[in-house]
Amino acid sequence: MSAATASLHHEWHRFSLPQKLARYALYLLTVIAVVWSFRTIEIIPEFLYDSPAQIADLFVRMWPMDWNYFFAEVWKALVETLHIATLGTILSLAFAIPLGFMAARNLTPLPALNLLGHFLFVTSRSVNSLVWALLFVAIFGPGPLAGTLAIAFRSIGFVGKLFAEAIEEAHRGPIEALTAAGAPVPSQIVMGYWPQVRPAFWSIVLFRWDINIRESAVLGLVGAGGIGVALDSALSLLYWDQVSVVLLTIFVVVILAELVVTTIRKRVL
Amino acid sequence: MTAVTPTGSGHDARSLVIRNLVKEYRRGTPVLRGINLAIPGRGLTAIIGPSGTGKSTLIRCINRLVEPTSGEILFMGKDLARLRGGDLRAARRRIGMVFQEYNLVERLTVMENLLSGRLGYVPVWRAWLRKFPQKDIDRAFELLDAVGLGSFATQRADALSGGQRQRVGIARAIMQEPDLILADEPTSSLDPKTSVEIMEILTKLAGERDIPVIVNIHDVELARRFAQRIIGMTEGQVVYDGPPDGLTDDHLRTIYGGENWLNERSGT
């Protein structure tokens, strides 16, 4: 037996020769892409050398912060931002939930409807919130309504896609048991699917709300309401001590939202 | 020849007749090759046979969790193989099912799992709001006591052990007030002692209500101990159909193939 083991001398490499070549080709492509990108973005050396001084100058102009501006304008805009994010998220659910049911292959065994659902999700997701906002500002005029709709339409794809995936991951066994008991599909959803997807659902919704707070903060740049409007006016007037107030406010709110979401998620899951 | 009394009472009405049942998952490779059976409307009938022989497919064809390719399944005056939509649901709610993996909704409480046996009867809004009729709730508590889980009503199903889950599974099937109970390998995920307990509970609860039970089981000893009738299957065909006493080692060799396993067992 020892003779047999001694004569065993197998060659082993992690990658075969074609695999190795493919990997080197990939490295080379990456380098080419990086070099090409640097050429495209046209760095102007003078501006680059100057930038540390510019940054220092900006910080000097931002200080001291204009706290009167916070109480006069930013506060109200901040509340509006929170409303846009929250209402937008809730509104998106009205579409995302039924579309999620429709897109889930195990629940809707009709490929055409699944495909339609996924197509709508991709449509919603491929358009940036700012672009949705531009669209709705053009339709409904500037203001928080356009912002809310922009947030809602961008969220449908995100929430719907993840919700559909959660439904598809539901265990078949319990559903089979309810089917065998003669439960109609709506009852199967209520007592079979929903208990299984509920934690994932709330997790997705909270996550999207968190994202929407950040997104709605910039919607004001295109006139769709919220704290972005305050930022936009401060920027265009070059009131840097006000810009710093707005930026700090956004920063604090985003952190608070994140804290709220993680706390609730821990409780729900 | 078939029982066509639609009253739901009496043993003949609950008998099950299967004629020329064929199931092909892929065309040309039948899993069930023309099953003919008449199962009496009372007592426990065990279907034995090696894994992959179509026992589970057969039992799932009865309540149409699996679509039969051809053949008839006559029960309560209807051909179950032909039913659709609401008629199929109405037939299903009179056929309870117990599963190998229990198939409880893990995140719901034991009580909710029992009440889900009533979903064929109650409207969706009641299921949604958990506003089940008081009669159902009373029955659920009675059954929980009967399976020895009286104090577990508000526990979540995923907090239970395997044996406890299967008791809930049996209680859920009884909640349907079924005319027939199908059990697909109800003890295969359990230890030998718990398996016997589960079979005892199943036979007791079904016996008290005079509900016929068809159970898939690969454990021959359990089948002999609890069944009044044994059906032996191999390769999609019935090769033995008779009382447990009549089941000889010759039959077992036909059913399971080979013979070393029989000798070894008698040797130890």
Side-chain angles (χ1 to χ4, degrees), chain A residues 173 176-177 179-180 182 190 195 199, chain B residues 60 92 103-104 107-108 120 128 172:
Chain A
E176 209 170 41
T179 311
V190 164
Chain B
R60 279 156 190 264
R92 274 174 172 162
N103 286 0
L104 305 180
R107 298 183 142 269
L108 293 184
W128 191 3
R172 175 177 64 185

Side-chain angles (χ1 to χ4, degrees), chain A residues 171-200 268-269, chain B residues 60 63 65 89 92-93 95 97 99 102-108 112-113 115-117 119-120 122-124 127-128 130 132 172 176:
Chain A
H171 292 294
R172 261 188 57 78
I175 308 299
E176 209 170 41
L178 298 191
T179 311
V185 173
S187 294
Q188 290 177 25
I189 292 175
V190 164
M191 281 190 86
Y193 286 101
W194 178 247
Q196 295 193 58
V197 302
R198 186 175 49 199
V268 171
L269 294 180
Chain B
R60 279 156 190 264
N63 65 356
L65 288 182
R89 282 201 302 277
R92 274 174 172 162
R93 69 184 190 188
I95 302 175
M97 189 156 188
F99 298 84
Y102 329 121
N103 286 0
L104 305 180
V105 184
E106 305 260 298
R107 298 183 142 269
L108 293 184
E112 285 172 303
N113 268 289
L115 290 169
S116 69
L119 287 181
V122 303
V124 184
W128 191 3
R130 305 293 193 271
F132 284 85
R172 175 177 64 185
Q176 289 175 233

Side-chain angles (χ1 to χ4, degrees), chain A:
Chain A
M1 187 186 154
S2 60
T5 41
S7 70
L8 280 176
H9 179 71
H10 290 295
E11 277 214 25
W12 182 84
H13 297 287
R14 188 174 170 195
F15 300 110
S16 66
L17 187 64
Q19 279 175 325
K20 273 184 199 164
L21 289 177
R23 291 173 72 85
Y24 288 134
L26 198 66
Y27 294 148
L28 190 66
L29 275 176
T30 312
V31 172
I32 292 172
V34 170
V35 172
W36 193 5
S37 309
F38 264 106
R39 292 194 168 195
T40 315
I41 59 175
E42 291 178 22
I43 300 167
I44 303 167
E46 291 77 14
F47 280 28
L48 198 62
Y49 301 141
D50 193 25
S51 56
Q54 290 291 341
I55 293 170
D57 186 40
L58 214 57
F59 273 110
V60 169
R61 276 190 264 175
M62 280 182 173
W63 195 263
M65 296 188 198
D66 181 1
W67 285 105
N68 288 329
Y69 186 56
F70 179 82
F71 295 107
E73 294 282 334
V74 179
W75 173 250
K76 268 188 287 173
L78 173 66
V79 171
E80 194 172 270
T81 292
L82 293 176
H83 286 174
I84 290 173
T86 310
L87 266 181
T89 311
I90 292 172
L91 187 61
S92 78
L93 296 185
F95 296 92
I97 292 173
L99 285 177
F101 285 142
M102 193 177 92
R105 278 179 288 265
N106 53 347
L107 191 51
T108 307
L110 295 168
L113 284 182
N114 303 150
L115 208 64
L116 176 64
H118 283 288
F119 175 75
L120 291 173
F121 294 155
V122 170
T123 313
S124 151
R125 282 149 49 85
S126 62
V127 180
N128 189 285
S129 294
L130 276 175
V131 181
W132 277 119
L134 280 171
L135 208 69
F136 286 117
V137 166
I139 299 171
F140 299 103
L145 174 64
T148 307
L149 288 174
I151 289 293
F153 273 72
R154 173 63 183 79
S155 302
I156 290 170
F158 181 94
V159 176
K161 181 182 150 73
L162 293 179
F163 184 47
E165 278 169 9
I167 295 171
E168 284 178 353
E169 274 167 31
H171 292 294
R172 261 188 57 78
I175 308 299
E176 209 170 41
L178 298 191
T179 311
V185 173
S187 294
Q188 290 177 25
I189 292 175
V190 164
M191 281 190 86
Y193 286 101
W194 178 247
Q196 295 193 58
V197 302
R198 186 175 49 199
F201 175 79
W202 288 117
S203 174
I204 294 163
V205 171
L206 285 170
F207 186 29
R208 189 63 222 184
W209 179 74
D210 183 24
I211 295 173
N212 284 347
I213 298 244
R214 275 174 271 150
E215 296 219 324
S216 61
V218 294
L219 287 183
L221 295 178
V222 295
I227 201 165
V229 177
L231 181 65
D232 189 41
S233 63
L235 272 174
S236 48
L237 294 170
L238 301 179
Y239 288 163
W240 292 99
D241 51 349
Q242 294 185 351
V243 171
S244 60
V245 169
V246 177
L247 289 180
L248 184 67
T249 308
I250 293 175
F251 182 67
V252 170
V253 167
V254 166
I255 286 182
L256 284 179
E258 177 112 15
L259 280 176
V260 169
V261 166
T262 22
T263 317
I264 299 178
R265 275 170 81 164
K266 264 187 212 150
R267 294 268 174 104
V268 171
L269 294 180

